[in-house]
């Protein structure tokens, strides 16, 4: 494969198409520490991970053989960080699943599809032992979080599910695959049980939730032999959908003193920027908003701090752009790919170690569509030509994030002070020294935009050392509302059946004394 290296001026002429005399240019000076600041946070190799809806799990994994598209898409990310994304299998259908000795893999009952929800979740899922052993088809080194049903308030079923999970991971075929069970989660979004019918609506409080959870989770950990929170297998706690119940509250109520609570290593909360459950009109321009990204994440800071004070790890165990499978014209667009970069990296700077972006079959916000689809993800109408497995624009955001994370597993991250309202910046440090940086311009340039595409010119002011040269790779997007035709470092990941890149790699040489340009709706990764 050829590697093309261009000067900054050549790239501007060839790729950016920005005429210096006509461009609307804003110049911003960005302080960049050469040495890692004390406030730097660890960059987990699995920072960007995935949550999979439990009902269609076999479609993701494959049954008699691995799903090659899933495997390739995950391996492509693993090649960047040295570690496959973690997978959490659960979510809404976690609390609608029962284990049966008479079922081999799974039997699902789905409600009718409609224009708002073309691919609804199953209302009933019955699984057998083979269902869990399908993890053997994942990339080696994949670490798993598996959900167990709390919603049905059936201790026997929860224990049977946990036993089946443990049985699967003890199979020689699974052990030889290198896929690892890391955590079990008992219940999904229990704070919503009063509204979804899983608990009485009139008196479901966090004070009732804690002993309720313990009554199911305690037998689960006792049965499968989990005794503490520093072993190879632990529990993931909370998994709340909103601030109705909080980790701080369950800590104060003594959950960590229970048999199951003592095995909690990780606290999970869920977050979406909005919800499309009943349809509606969501604006892409307002979604691509630097201030909103920060506002949607900083609400968790008190819970993050409380989690670490108890010696536990904090994750967003389910997240994505717009809840209820995404909003058309927002979640499936190139703008969402840029949002993924800013959202994920800002989260990492405030102590969120991993973000599990939720995926289903045919969901609008999917990074990966792993099977052929016969109806539209936008309105449920039949497709004249079925859509084969493919990636969507957010996958490009994952490529950029994982390129910043790097492959050492030891990088640290800090947000840079970029005073432009639309532009964010993050620096990654290896062994305490500046190694890489990402800048993302969230100014939405859409198909309806007129005039000259705005440009931000960034001058980097280095402190504690001198850096003069860098190479740059760009996420190039024609319009924020495009649903395809993005390129990362000159390459497309949309053209092949195994997510392999096509096109020649484009890398710029950047003279940092001159600074560099970043167009509206674009991101760039610098390597120093």
């Amino acid at each position: 494969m050829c590697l093309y290296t261009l000067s900054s001026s050549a790239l501007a002429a060839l790729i950016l198409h920005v005429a210096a005399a006509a461009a609307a240019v804003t110049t911003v000076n960005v302080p960049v520490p050469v040495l890692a600041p004390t406030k730097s946070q660890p960059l987990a190799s699995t920072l960007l991970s995935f949550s999979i809806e439990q009902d269609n799990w076999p479609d993701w994994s494959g049954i008699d053989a691995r799903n090659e598209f899933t495997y390739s898409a995950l391996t492509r990310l693993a090649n960047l960080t040295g570690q496959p994304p973690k997978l959490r299998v659960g979510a809404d259908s976690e609390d609608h699943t029962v284990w049966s000795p008479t079922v081999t893999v799974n039997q699902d009952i789905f409600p009718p599809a409609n224009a708002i929800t073309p691919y609804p979740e199953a209302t009933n899922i019955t699984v057998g032992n083979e269902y869990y052993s399908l993890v053997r088809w994942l990339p080696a080194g994949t670490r798993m979080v598996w959900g167990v049903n709390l919603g049905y308030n059936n201790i026997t079923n929860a224990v049977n599910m946990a036993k089946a999970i443990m049985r699967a991971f003890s199979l020689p075929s699974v052990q030889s695959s290198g896929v690892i069970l890391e955590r079990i989660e008992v219940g999904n979004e229990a704070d919503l049980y009063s509204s979804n019918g899983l608990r009485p609506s009139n008196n479901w409080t966090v004070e009732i939730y804690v002993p309720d959870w313990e009554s199911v989770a305690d037998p689960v950990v006792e049965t499968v032999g989990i005794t503490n929170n520093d072993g190879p297998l632990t529990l993931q706690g909370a998994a709340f959908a909103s601030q109705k119940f909080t980790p701080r509250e369950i800590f104060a109520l003594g959950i960590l003193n229970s048999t199951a609570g003592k095995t909690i290593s990780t606290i999970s909360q869920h977050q979406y920027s909005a919800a499309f459950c009943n349809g509606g009109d969501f604006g892409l321009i307002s979604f691509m908003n630097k201030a909103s990204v920060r506002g949607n994440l900083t609400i968790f800071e008190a819970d993050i701090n409380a989690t670490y004070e108890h010696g536990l790890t904090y994750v967003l165990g389910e997240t994505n752009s717009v809840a209820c499978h995404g909003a058309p014209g927002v979640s499936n667009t190139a703008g969402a790919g840029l949002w993924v970069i800013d959202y994920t990296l800002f989260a990492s700077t405030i102590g969120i170690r991993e973000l599990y972006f939720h995926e289903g079959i045919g969901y609008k916000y999917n990074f990966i569509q792993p099977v052929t689809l016969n109806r539209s993800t936008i309105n449920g109408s039949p497709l004249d030509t079925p859509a084969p497995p493919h990636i969507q624009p957010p996958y490009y955001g994952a490529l950029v994030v994982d390129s910043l994370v790097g492959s050492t597993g030891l990088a640290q991250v800090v947000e840079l002070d970029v005073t432009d309202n639309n532009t964010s910046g993050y620096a990654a440090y290896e062994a305490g020294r500046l190694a890489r940086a990402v800048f993302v311009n969230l100014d939405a340039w859409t198909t309806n935009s007129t005039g000259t595409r705005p440009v931000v010119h960034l001058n980097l002011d280095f402190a504690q050392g001198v850096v003069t040269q860098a190479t740059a790779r760009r996420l190039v997007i024609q319009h924020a509302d495009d649903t395809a035709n993005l390129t990362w470092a000159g390459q497309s990941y949309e053209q092949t059946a195994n997510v392999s890149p096509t096109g020649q790699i484009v890398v710029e040489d950047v003279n940092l004394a001159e600074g560099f340009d970043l167009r509206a709706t674009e991101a760039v990764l610098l390597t120093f």
Side-chain angles (χ1 to χ4, degrees), residues 3 36 43 81 90 104 122 131 136 172 188 228 287 293 317 321 330 338 343 353 358 365 384 454 482-484:
L3 177 68
L43 260 181
T81 65
T104 303
Y131 174 85
R136 68 187 182 275
N188 172 74
N228 57 58
F287 170 74
V293 166
S321 54
V330 176
L338 291 178
Y343 185 80
R353 292 288 179 262
H358 197 49
Y365 53 42
D384 293 335
D482 288 346
T483 58

Side-chain angles (χ1 to χ4, degrees), residues 127-138:
V127 303
N129 290 333
E130 180 71 11
Y131 174 85
Y132 296 106
S133 68
L134 299 179
V135 298
R136 68 187 182 275
W137 299 125
L138 297 172

Side-chain angles (χ1 to χ4, degrees), residues 23-66:
V25 179
T26 300
T27 298
V28 180
N29 296 324
V30 183
V32 181
V34 173
L35 303 179
T38 56
K39 65 179 181 178
S40 299
Q41 292 284 336
L43 260 181
S45 298
T46 50
L47 170 66
L48 193 148
S49 289
F50 294 108
S51 166
I52 308 294
E53 192 67 47
Q54 195 159 287
D55 51 10
N56 280 313
W57 158 246
D59 286 338
W60 285 87
S61 60
I63 297 177
D64 298 320
R66 72 189 185 195

Side-chain angles (χ1 to χ4, degrees), residues 64-83:
D64 298 320
R66 72 189 185 195
N67 181 316
E68 292 291 350
F69 194 84
T70 299
Y71 185 88
S72 297
L74 296 177
T75 299
R76 193 69 54 193
L77 298 176
N79 290 341
L80 297 174
T81 65
Q83 176 70 41

